[in-house]
Amino acid sequence: MSNLKYCQGPHCHTYNTQDRLKGSKDNKTYQTRRRSAFYYGGGNFCCLRCQDDWFTKYGTRAVDHFGRITEAKHLTEENAWFKDYDWRIDDRQNRYFFYNGITKERRPLTEAQYRDSNYTLNTGE
Ligand SMILES: [Zn+2]
């Protein structure tokens, strides 16, 4: 029917803003925000406050569920690649690049590769 989705903030409906006030004339209530797209928390929250509310309520359980970090991770050559761009370069082909934080090596990247969040040179965690 519609592609609208609800903000996942557990207290979203308690924030008294005009856009949350819905319903017929004599039966208005503050309601959870509903939109076609949200810009916080992976598209799940209408604002940072709602995202933070969710983490306050569920964060510890979520971390335990998905795996708590119990020892230090190490940055090595294999996982030190990160994407960057230089807005001063006019040539779009050479604007985007990988940069290795350990070796300082720089490798060219297409704009599509830059925007593809699954595209990486990193082989370790
Ligand atoms: Zn919300």
Side-chain angles (χ1 to χ4, degrees):
M1 205 173 84
S2 78
N3 290 324
L4 297 179
K5 55 184 181 178
Y6 290 101
C7 170
Q8 295 303 301
H11 307 303
C12 191
H13 63 289
T14 67
Y15 302 129
N16 301 353
T17 59
Q18 280 306 307
D19 71 300
R20 287 178 170 100
L21 193 56
K22 306 266 185 192
S24 55
K25 232 173 208 158
D26 49 353
N27 195 24
K28 285 190 184 298
T29 56
Y30 288 101
Q31 299 179 15
T32 300
R33 275 183 174 152
R34 194 176 179 213
R35 303 272 161 78
S36 56
F38 292 119
Y39 301 100
Y40 299 94
N44 290 303
F45 303 97
C46 71
C47 58
L48 282 176
R49 187 179 190 183
C50 283
Q51 178 184 310
D52 193 50
D53 287 344
W54 187 94
F55 196 86
T56 298
K57 187 168 183 181
Y58 302 113
T60 299
R61 280 157 58 193
V63 168
D64 285 336
H65 177 77
F66 292 108
R68 183 170 290 277
I69 292 173
T70 56
E71 56 188 37
K73 291 183 168 188
H74 299 266
L75 188 67
T76 62
E77 277 182 42
E78 291 71 36
N79 65 12
W81 292 103
F82 64 91
K83 294 175 181 177
D84 203 355
Y85 73 97
D86 189 341
W87 55 270
R88 293 166 300 184
I89 297 175
D90 288 333
D91 174 12
R92 294 179 78 81
Q93 276 306 333
N94 292 306
R95 179 177 290 175
Y96 303 94
F97 56 89
F98 268 119
Y99 183 77
N100 191 298
I102 299 290
T103 64
K104 312 298 181 204
E105 184 186 349
R106 187 172 161 151
R107 291 186 192 171
L109 199 55
T110 67
E111 185 173 351
Q113 289 168 333
Y114 177 81
R115 301 202 184 288
D116 180 355
S117 59
N118 292 317
Y119 187 75
T120 181
L121 295 179
N122 291 327
T123 54
E125 258 195 68

